[in-house]
Amino acid sequence: MDAKTVSRYHEVYAQWLRDPEGFWAEAAREIDWIEPAKKVFDPAMGVYGRWFAGGVVNTCYNALDRHVRRGRGKQAALIYDSPVTHTVASFSYEEMLFEVSTLAAILQDFGVGKGDRVIIYMPLVPEAVFAMLACARIGAVHSVVFGGFAANELAKRIDDAKPKLVLTASCGIEPGRIVKYKPLLDEAIAMAAFKPSACMILQRPQEQALLIAGRDHDWRDVRDAAIAANKHAECVPVLATDPLYILYTSGTTGIPKGVVRDNGGHLVALKWSMKNLYGVDPGEVWWCGSDIGWVVGHSYIVYAPLFHGATSIMYEGKPVGTPDAGAYWRVISQHKAVALFTAPTAFRAIKKEDPDGKLLAQYDLSHFRTLFLAGERADPPTIAWAEEKLHKPVVDHWWQTETGWCIAGNPVGLGMLPVKHGSATVPMPGWDVRVVDESCNEVASNAIGSIVVKLPLPPGAFPTLWQQDERFKESYLAEFPGYYKTADAGFKDDDGYVHVMGRTDDIINVAGHRLSTGGMEEVLAAHPDVAECAVIGVADALKGEVPCGFVVLKAGVPRAHAEIETEIVALVRDRIGPVAAFKLAITVSRLPKTRSGKILRGTMKKIADGEDWTMPATIDDPAILDEIGTALKGKGMGR
Ligand code: COA
Ligand code: AMP
C-alpha cells in the first residue's frame, strides 16, 4: 500500500492552516481544565501572543490524578530500569500520585509556593520525576539541570532562577565511575550570589553525601515524616499561561538561555503529539531514552506519556557497556515497549559495537512498532542500518529545546508519509516552516537558507526566556521580522519535506547534547597563558561532532604546549562539565581571520573535517590556513 494515499497528514495540516485556533481548541478538549480559556489565542498578551489565555489548569492533575480517577490507578505509569544499579522497579499511577502528593506537601513545608523556583539536579531516578510533578502540582516552577554539567554551570542557573529549594541526589552513576553530585552542589552554592535556603538530598547506596546542618535535609527522612503525618498536597490551580518550568540551554555565549514552558499550551500540544505523531495509545508502553536534563526527557520521559495515560520507561544506563550493545533490545523486549525515541548517536554506538546486530536476535521485539530519532541530524547510514536490523519504520524528527516538541516529523498516528533518509519529513500542525535568505525572502525549493517559522509559535513552544523578553526578541525574532529564527539552516524539497543541515550559529551537537562553542571559548580565554582562541565542532563518527579548541599563547610563555593543552582540557571539564566532551586543544601561532578581524571558523572546520575548502576572498593572511592544516595533521586530523 502506498503510504502517501493513506496518510491523513495533508488534510490535518490544511485544517490547521485554515483555522489554527479551531484546531487547537479541538485538541484542548483532551485536557481537563479547571476553567476553560477565555481566548484560545490572545495576540495582545506576551511577546508574540499567548495560548489558552485565561484558562485555569493543573499539569500534575492531567498527568496523574485524572488517570487514577478514571480507572488507570493500577496501571504502571513509570518503569525505572537501571542497569547501573541492577534495578527494575515499576510505579503505578496510584503509587506515583501518592509519592508526588507527599513530596508536594514537603515542598510546601519548605515554603515553596506558586511561582517559586525549584532546581532539580538529579540522575535518572524516579524521585527526579516525582520532583518535577510535585512542583507542577503546587504551581512551583522547576528547573532541571543535567547531571553532566559542572558546578559553575549549576551556579549560573541558581543565580538566574533563584530557587527556594534545590533537590539533588548523593550521586549519579556513569559506567565505571560514581559522579558525586553533592560536592558539585556545595561548590555551586558557594559560587552563586543567590543562596537557596534549603536542599533535599537523596542518599543513594553508592555514595553517602555529607549534609550541611540547617541547610541540607535527608530526602528519605522528610518523606518518612510526611508519610507518618499523612501529608498530601492538592493540585493548585494555575493559569494556562503561568510557567511550568525553566530549562536552560546553550546560547551563543556562556550565559545559558532560560527557556520558559507554560502549562496550558504544553499540555495540549504534548497530548496531541502522543497519538498523532508517535502513534501511541493510552495503556501502551513507551520509551524515551534521553535524560530528564534535556527537553526531550522533559517532554517524553515525563510529561507527554503521562498526559496520555501511557507507561513511560526511564532508563538509567547507556546504549552500550551497560552491559552490552544489546541493552536497548533487552529493555524494549522486557517491558514490551511499542516505540523508542532516542538520539542517532545511541544507534551509532550500538552499530559500532554490534555491526551485524547479532545481539538483536536474542530478544523478542514483535510488539515494537517504531523508532524515533532526534536531537541531531540523523545520518542516512545510521537510519538505514536501524531499518535493516529492526525491520520497522525509523522516523527522524526535528526539535529544539525552545520548541518543546517536534517542528517537523513523520506523523505515524495520522498515517506515515514515505520516509526520505536525511529529511525530518514535514512540518507538524502549528508550524508554518519557511526557508528564507538574508533579506527574509523565501528561497526556491531545494535551495538552502535559514529555516524560520511564521509567528505565532504553536502551543507548547516557548513564550519567552525567563525574565528576559528583550533577549528573547533579540535572539529569535529580530533578524527575520514576523518569524521565529530557528538558527538551523536547510531546505524544503519539491514534496515540502524539511531537510535540516546544521546550525547557523556557534551551537554544536555533541552526542545529541547541545553545547555552545562560544561558551567554551570563554573558558579557554580565561586560561592565564592564552591570548586568543577559537573552538569549532569537528566531525566525529560516534558523537556526530566534538569540540576542538585552538589557542594562541601570550607572547613569551615559556611552558610546553602539551602541558598547557592538558590544563585547558581539564579547565573545560571543570567549568562546563564532562558532557562538553572537550578533549582536543591545539596550540597554533596565529588564527586565520578576515581583514575585519573575524575568525574563519567555518574554513577551519572544513580543514579539520578533511573537506574541500576554498580560500576566503576576505582572508587577512592565507598562509595561516596552511599552519592550521599542519597543526591538525599533528593531531591526526584533516588531510
Ligand atoms: N552525569 C554525569 N556525567 C555524565 C552524564 C551525567 N548524567 N552524562 C554523561 N556524562 C559524562 C560521561 O560519563 C562522559 O564522561 P567521560 O568524559 O569521563 O567519559 C562525558 O559526560 C561525555 O558523555 P557523552 O557525550 O554522553 O559520551 P559517552 O561516551 O558517555 O556516551 C553515548 C556516548 C552515545 C553512549 C551517549 O551519549 C548516549 O547514550 N547518547 C544518546 C542518548 C541521549 O542522551 N540523547 C540526548 C538528547 S535526545
Ligand atoms: P536541542 O535544543 O538540544 O534539542 O538541540 C536543537 C538542535 O539540534 C536543533 O537546532 C538542530 O540543530 C539539532 N537537531 C535536533 N533534531 C534534529 C534533526 N532531527 N535533524 C537535524 N538536526 C536536529
Side-chain angles (χ1 to χ4, degrees), residues 375-377 396-401 488 500 503 509 514:
E376 59 179 315
R377 187 172 154 74
D396 177 20
H397 61 323
W398 172 47
W399 265 74
Q400 299 185 319
T401 304
D488 276 317
V500 182
R503 297 282 304 194
N509 235 299
R514 173 167 159 177

Side-chain angles (χ1 to χ4, degrees), residues 146-148 174 177 289-290 318-319 345 511-513 543 573 578-579 583:
F146 179 62
E174 285 293 291
R177 168 167 82 93
S290 179
K318 302 272 172 182
T345 188
H513 309 315
K543 298 194 180 190
R573 195 175 172 93
V579 68
K583 307 251 155 116

